[in-house]
Amino acid sequence: MKAPFLAFITLFATLAGIPCALAQAPIPEPPTIGAKGFLLMDHNTGMVLAESNADERLEPASLTKIMTAYAVFREMAAGKLSADDEVLVSEKAWRTEGSRTFLDVGSRVSVDNLLMGMIVQSGNDASVALAEHIAGSEAAFAGLMNAHARRLGATNTHFVNATGLPAEDHYSTARDIASIASALIQEFPEQYKRYKVKEFVYNDIKQTNRNRLLFRDDTVDGMKTGYTAAAGYCLVASAKRGEMRLISVVMGTSGPEQRARDSLALLNYGFRFYESHRLYDGRVPVQRLRVWKGQQTEVPVGPQQDVYVTIPRGRYEELSAGLDAVPDREAPVAQGDRLGTIVVSLGDEEIRRVPAVALEEVPAGNLWRRLVDSIIQLFRS
C-alpha cells in the first residue's frame, strides 16, 4: 500500500473519529524465550528491540571467545600480530579441557588457524594458545580483555580466562555481550567473515560450526555458541536483511535446539516489526555553515559516521530530520569541531540526536578578512 494513500486513510479516519488499524499497527510483545537472560538489538543504532534480565550477571561460557577474538583482532589491527605468525602450543593450552581444535603440544600453529579453530570449532586450546602468545599468560590476557570491556562500556562484565570455562568472578550479561559482539562486527568486518564458516579441518579432524542457524537461515552470518553445565546453552546470533542487521543474545537455555529456535524467533520478530534506515552517510556534508573571520567563509558540516534509525515498520514517511547549528561560528575551526546537532524525529517524537562536526578546517583569515567580518557582524547585531 502506498504511503500517501495510507496517510489519506489515516487522516480521514481521524477526522471522522473512526479507529483505524492501518494508521499504526501495534507491535506485539516479543516471543516467549526460555532463557535466563536475552536481548535483541539493532546493530547499526544500538536500539534494543526486546530484552529480559539483560543486565543479570550470568556465566557466558564460550561467548567469552567473542571478546578473546576482539582482543586478538585489535592486536592485529595495531600491527603487533599477523595472521601468518606462528604460535608455540604450550602444555597448558594442550591440556585445556572442553571443546578443542586438537592442537599438538609443542607444535607451531599460525594465528590464522588458531582463530579458525577458536571461532568455528570453539577450541579452548586455540584460545589459550593465542592468549599466551599475545600476553605471556592467560591471566594477563584476561586483563587485556577486561580493559577492552571497560572501554566498550561493558560494565557488568569481568573475565578471568580466554575460554569461558567456569571460574569464580567470570561473568557477563546479555547486554554487555551484545555490545562486544556489535563492536567486533563494526570494527573488524573482514575478520567477522570467519564467523559464517560452517566447518573447519585441522589435524585431519573436521568439525562443524555449532551455530545451527548458519544452516537454517542464509541471512545469519554469525556468531558464537556457548555451553557449560552451569551456564546452560547460549548463543549470540547475527543476521542481516537489507540494510538492517540484528544481534540476538540468549543465555542459559536448556538445550542446543532451544537456543537456536529462540534466537531465530527473536531475529524474525525484530525484522518483522521494525525497520532500519540510513539517513546520512558519515563524513558527507549535510549543510555548509557560515564562518566568520576565516580564510573561507563556509565550512561543510556532517556526521562523523553513518546515521541510522530504527523505527516501527511502516512509519518511514513520518521521519524528519534537521540540523540545529551553532550560530555565528568564528575561525579558526578545526576539523572535527562540533558545530551543531542532527535531530531526528518520528512524528512528534524526537528519537535521535547526532553530533554534526566540521568536515574541514577553516584557519583564521588575514587582518583584512577579520576586519571586514567584524564590521559586518557589528551591523548585523
Side-chain angles (χ1 to χ4, degrees), residues 220-250:
V220 175
D221 54 12
M223 185 169 192
K224 189 71 191 74
T225 61
Y227 168 76
T228 65
Y233 290 85
C234 309
L235 175 61
V236 176
S238 182
K240 185 176 183 182
R241 301 178 189 175
E243 283 194 331
M244 189 176 192
R245 176 178 289 282
L246 297 181
I247 297 172
S248 67
V249 180
V250 297

Side-chain angles (χ1 to χ4, degrees), residues 60-342:
S62 283
L63 302 189
T64 297
K65 295 185 179 89
I66 297 175
M67 176 54 87
T68 305
Y70 178 87
V72 175
F73 296 154
R74 291 279 297 192
E75 295 296 302
M76 296 174 74
K80 300 176 182 178
L81 189 70
S82 78
D84 295 329
D85 287 352
E86 291 193 336
V87 175
L88 179 65
V89 179
S90 70
E91 184 173 351
K92 180 181 185 298
W94 174 68
R95 287 187 180 277
T96 303
E97 60 184 10
S99 54
R100 56 183 58 237
T101 302
F102 296 101
L103 306 175
D104 293 325
V105 64
S107 64
R108 292 190 175 273
V109 185
S110 70
V111 168
D112 183 66
N113 278 334
L114 291 173
L115 281 169
M116 295 303 292
M118 178 177 69
I119 291 170
V120 180
Q121 302 170 336
S122 198
N124 289 338
D125 49 358
S127 303
V128 173
L130 284 166
E132 291 178 333
H133 182 74
I134 289 171
S137 71
E138 187 179 10
F141 185 81
L144 181 63
M145 295 166 68
N146 289 324
H148 286 311
R150 289 192 296 271
R151 182 176 51 79
L152 294 175
T155 55
N156 280 319
T157 291
H158 186 263
F159 299 112
V160 175
N161 57 54
T163 62
L165 287 170
E168 186 178 357
D169 212 28
H170 188 100
Y171 57 82
S172 190
T173 68
R175 192 182 312 279
D176 282 1
I177 292 292
S179 297
I180 295 166
S182 184
L184 189 152
I185 296 170
Q186 178 68 32
E187 295 182 37
F188 308 109
E190 288 303 311
Q191 298 285 7
Y192 176 66
K193 293 177 182 178
R194 297 175 185 269
Y195 286 90
K196 67 181 179 181
V197 176
K198 295 179 179 179
E199 60 182 35
F200 179 63
V201 179
Y202 185 79
N203 229 352
D204 295 325
I205 301 171
K206 181 171 73 174
Q207 296 187 67
T208 301
N209 197 314
R210 294 172 174 83
N211 182 0
R212 297 183 180 185
L213 296 189
L214 293 175
F215 303 89
R216 298 183 184 180
D217 187 326
D218 59 9
T219 69
V220 175
D221 54 12
M223 185 169 192
K224 189 71 191 74
T225 61
Y227 168 76
T228 65
Y233 290 85
C234 309
L235 175 61
V236 176
S238 182
K240 185 176 183 182
R241 301 178 189 175
E243 283 194 331
M244 189 176 192
R245 176 178 289 282
L246 297 181
I247 297 172
S248 67
V249 180
V250 297
M251 302 178 71
T253 68
S254 62
E257 179 58 28
Q258 185 187 7
R259 71 183 174 191
R261 184 174 60 248
D262 287 352
S263 297
L264 190 56
L266 283 173
L267 292 171
N268 285 336
Y269 169 83
F271 286 120
R272 171 64 181 83
F273 294 106
Y274 293 91
E275 54 187 301
S276 181
H277 296 277
R278 183 171 58 189
L279 302 185
Y280 298 100
D281 293 330
R283 306 201 59 77
V284 174
V286 170
Q287 194 172 322
R288 299 186 70 87
L289 298 181
R290 180 69 162 93
V291 177
W292 300 96
K293 303 178 184 179
Q295 290 184 15
Q296 296 86 37
T297 59
E298 292 183 332
V299 61
V301 175
Q304 287 275 28
Q305 298 177 331
D306 294 350
V307 178
Y308 287 83
V309 292
T310 307
I311 59 174
R313 188 163 291 281
R315 298 186 64 187
Y316 178 75
E317 297 296 330
E318 298 178 53
L319 279 174
S320 61
L323 177 65
D324 184 7
V326 174
D328 297 325
R329 180 63 195 237
E330 295 186 356
V333 175
Q335 184 175 331
D337 280 356
R338 183 167 180 170
L339 298 183
T341 303
I342 297 171

